[in-house]
Amino acid sequence: MSNLGPYTYVTLSMGPDEAPHLGVSFYTPRLRVSSGLLFSNPRPFLEFTSQEAHVRISTTGAGAVTDADLATAREIFNAAARYLADCERLHIDQSAADKPATDTAA
């Protein structure tokens, strides 16, 4: 298994007669995640930040919260819960694999 150092990968693809596509992949423990409420025009936001990139998610058109915004927020919440559960499970599995075997035979 390859083990690269921490990094953030950002791509921008622009083809003729196509909408631009931006991809941001964070593979770093230096990732910071925060959320809050913008007060100038009250709306929630969620942001992911590394040294190399900054991604902010907010409501549709930076306007009032819509039913679609609520659905997206629930998808983010559910995906984050699955990500946490997978990280916890893999961490336990990997920690157990790294422990030296003990001789229990007497």
Side-chain angles (χ1 to χ4, degrees):
M1 174 188 279
S2 174
N3 190 9
L4 300 174
Y7 65 96
T8 299
Y9 189 73
V10 180
T11 61
L12 175 62
S13 303
M14 296 174 59
D17 300 321
E18 293 180 9
H21 177 81
L22 178 67
V24 180
S25 300
F26 295 103
Y27 301 101
T28 176
R30 294 185 298 259
L31 180 65
R32 298 292 172 251
V33 180
S34 62
S35 64
L37 188 63
L38 297 172
F39 292 105
S40 59
N41 178 12
R43 66 183 187 273
F45 69 89
L46 174 65
E47 64 185 5
F48 300 84
T49 306
S50 74
Q51 291 177 329
E52 303 86 2
H54 178 98
V55 176
R56 179 175 283 176
I57 300 165
S58 190
T59 54
T60 304
V65 176
T66 65
D67 289 341
D69 295 323
L70 289 174
T72 298
R74 288 184 187 104
E75 286 181 46
I76 291 168
F77 177 85
N78 290 329
R82 285 189 306 272
Y83 178 72
L84 173 60
D86 288 342
C87 285
E88 288 175 335
R89 179 181 49 79
L90 290 169
H91 186 262
I92 289 168
D93 292 350
Q94 292 161 353
S95 294
D98 291 341
K99 288 184 182 178
T102 57
D103 187 5
T104 58

